[in-house]
Amino acid sequence: MSQGNALTLSGLKKNFGRAEIIRGVDLDVRDGERHVIIGPNGAGKSTLFNLISGRMEVSAGEIKLFGKPIHNTPPHKVNRMGLSRSFQVTNLFQNMTTMQNLRCALLWGMGHKYAFWKLVNKQQEVTERAEQLMEQLNLTHRRDVPAGLLTYAEQRALEIGTTIGSGARVLLLDEPTAGMSRSESDEVVELIRQVTKDCTLVMVEHDLGVVFNLADRISVLVYGEIIATDAPENIRSNKAVQEAYLGTEVH
Amino acid sequence: MSTVQQETLAGSKSAGNIWVKRAWPWLACLVIALLAPTVLSSGHDIHMLSSMAIMMVFALAYNMLLGNTGLLSFGHAVYFGFGAYIAMHALRWSNNAVLDGTGYGVPIELIPLVGGLAGLFFGIIFGSFSTKKAGVVFAMISLGVVGLVEASSLAFTGFFGGEAGLFGDREDVNSLLGIEYGRSLTVYYLMVFWLFVCALLMFLLRKTPLGWMANAVRDNPERAQFVGYNTTTVRFMQFSLSAFFAGVAGGMFVLVEEIVTDEAIGFLLSGEVLLAAYIGGIGFFFGPIVGAALVVYLESNLSSISDAWLLYFGILFITVVMFAPMGIVGIIYQQWFNFRSGGWKGTIPARLYCTVTALIGLLGFICIVEMAYHYLRSWNPSAPMTLFVTTVDTTTALPWLVSVAILLVGLGLMLFHARPMLRRAVEAAGGNK
Ligand SMILES: Nc1ncnc2c1ncn2[C@@H]1O[C@H](COP(=O)(O)OP(=O)(O)OP(=O)(O)O)[C@@H](O)[C@H]1O
Ligand SMILES: [Mg+2]
């Protein structure tokens, strides 16, 4: 069954104390697809990402990445298995420059690990890849600016860059366009389209324009349960979805 | 033009220039280190210089934890101490080998390396559990470990030599270079050698993937995990390497002192190295070097001038922590930067005025402290006491009144006249302080 699936969630549950936030989620994310998760505020989308990426332990159920169980695995191990995530609230190395942030993101994936016998700046491959990324992110002119001093949109772009830097096969992006202007958001979507050409994307997004534009399939998460997973056009016409979610926001 | 091109262009055109730029602070330090004994040439001074070199290595090692990895240790003397004790055992073993004529022993130049390996060994052991968590947990465990080790140093007298400590002799050992290290000046040059080797290695370590990720783990451990790094492993490796250099410092100590007691392994030295690194500035590579020089200088000179030296020491530390958390090197760097960008223009008189009033206040404060020490601690408080250029009787009111007046005038002028003046001058010049 899990053949051809990048991610498989089955019977996934998460409680905080007595509050059930994720209440039995089953979801298959196909290899290579762009899968967008939508749902009202507080539905548990970020929590779902936290479970998948190893930031939180699951209360019940299991998560498989290319058939290998990854639930309750520490984040760095999940990352090394080829899954990388971004954060809804920007989460960078604030004191480091754009260039340094990208290099940090690249080091492990390019095999430098904990090496203390070689200099980072002498690793030509890392430098070139980081510069390439910077070009894609439109941040080349901000190369030596500390991340904390970048504008919000630039920080969001760097957040994406840091996430894709490690060369993961599965990307989780949590609201990458939140708080951006129309044009900024369009740029980011274009960037996401580019960099996810040959990997799997799972993304949380509120902007329905972006969602229907980008998604191969959409899942709707409401109160910790997935009420529908389908192609965009079917989601649009799905009665349950309209009642629970779309109807209240799109007129 | 992309930055790669810029880098290669710069590389081909002015590679020499870049190297000069990078190397000059090191060369300057080397020249100072080599020439220092010509100025500070008494036996006491040379001993002090050697102690500075040792403390510099130790403080740099300590800053690999505090500054680079964000780990606050209260017990780093453990690795210095184990380095020192094991280096001492190596020295004694070599002494015996030479005296018996039974063998070669460890050559004296490599004794610090023995200390380093010992530090590394114990760093790996204690680091394996103490680096699981950062923050308060790590600090508490470091405190527990140093307590444990200090207590055992009195229990296991065979290894630690009990209260009397252990002696060795640096003259009865073989030398790789065939040099006699009887004179303290010769040993000093050996210390300089090890200082430069260690400092250079620690400098380069900051630029390796491990060094970068140590900074990353310090600033945002969570993100570091999501780019594939195990934060515990990063901390553990930094800790072990830091313990290695602390051990080297311990080995250097053995060659200078030829004796090790439990002072080398306990709380006090652990606190001292924290002080040295912090006062110098933990955010700068050269910070701990400056801090170590200052701390050793004060210790070896102030203690003979004043009984209250420890108090001054404490006040210096509090002042730095409260008013200048970037440390001495941080202040110098900031002011230099300011000066270069023209921030001093038109404010120099105000700056001087500020400094002078502060010094006057300080003078008054020192008078009060010295007299208080004399009054409270001397057998005969009314005995005449030399205070700077005068002699005073601390049982009379006059010297007290004068001192308090000096303090109040200095402090008052600084706080209520000089500082506002400086602020106005800075604002008028349009710069920042
Ligand atoms: N660590 C936690 N402890 C307790 N409750 C939590 C925790 N994290 C999240 N929650 C709760 O879980 C619910 C879902 O939160 P989550 O952040 O997953 O929602 P979301 O779908 O991402 O919402 P948004 O669209 O606002 O980002 C919220 O009610 C939140 O208060
Ligand atoms: Mg969320």
Side-chain angles (χ1 to χ4, degrees), chain A residues 208-224:
Chain A
L208 293 176
V210 171
V211 173
F212 288 110
N213 174 353
L214 198 64
D216 294 325
R217 288 201 304 157
I218 297 173
S219 288
V220 185
L221 185 73
V222 179
Y223 297 117

Side-chain angles (χ1 to χ4, degrees), chain A residues 40-47 49-50 85 88-89 174-175 204 206:
Chain A
N41 290 106
K45 304 178 296 292
S46 296
T47 306
F49 272 22
N50 288 340
R85 69 164 293 179
Q88 186 173 353
V89 178
D174 198 347
E175 302 201 21
V204 172
H206 274 302

Side-chain angles (χ1 to χ4, degrees), chain A residues 159-206:
Chain A
E159 174 84 34
I160 296 175
T162 313
T163 308
I164 62 182
S166 60
R169 292 154 70 198
V170 180
L171 298 178
L172 311 187
L173 303 182
D174 198 347
E175 302 201 21
T177 67
M180 287 190 173
S181 71
R182 186 78 259 163
S183 64
E184 288 168 344
S185 150
D186 285 345
E187 263 175 45
V188 168
V189 171
E190 203 37 55
L191 172 71
I192 292 173
R193 200 189 289 281
Q194 263 179 42
V195 298
T196 54
K197 270 199 192 105
D198 31 38
C199 60
T200 310
L201 171 73
V202 186
M203 177 169 134
V204 172
E205 183 57 62
H206 274 302

Side-chain angles (χ1 to χ4, degrees), chain B residues 35-49:
Chain B
L35 293 185
T38 56
V39 182
L40 301 165
S41 53
S42 72
H44 171 260
D45 284 342
I46 297 216
H47 180 261
M48 179 185 79
L49 288 175

Side-chain angles (χ1 to χ4, degrees), chain B residues 250-262:
Chain B
M252 291 162 71
F253 177 82
V254 162
L255 293 185
V256 171
E257 305 293 339
E258 299 181 283
I259 176 177
V260 195
T261 65
D262 57 353

Side-chain angles (χ1 to χ4, degrees), chain B residues 382-396:
Chain B
S382 62
M385 171 197 170
T386 356
L387 187 61
F388 294 105
V389 289
T390 59
T391 306
V392 296
D393 179 351
T394 55
T395 52
T396 59

Side-chain angles (χ1 to χ4, degrees), chain A residues 53 55 76 79-80 85 87 91-93 95-96 107-108 113-116 118-120 131 143 159 162, chain B residues 3-4 7 205 207-210 212 216 219-220 222-230 233-234 237:
Chain A
S53 63
R55 197 187 193 193
H76 60 270
N79 181 277
R80 292 174 200 173
R85 69 164 293 179
F87 292 82
N91 198 349
L92 296 166
F93 304 118
N95 299 323
M96 295 192 190
L107 282 175
W108 187 276
K113 306 195 172 175
Y114 303 107
F116 54 85
K118 49 187 174 190
L119 301 179
V120 173
E131 257 150 16
R143 186 183 202 267
E159 174 84 34
T162 313
Chain B
T3 338
V4 177
E7 266 175 15
L205 263 177
K207 303 186 172 292
T208 64
L210 179 68
W212 276 53
D219 290 346
N220 190 346
E222 177 165 67
R223 188 48 146 172
Q225 288 189 293
F226 287 97
V227 295
Y229 280 85
N230 184 343
T233 311
V234 172
M237 292 185 68

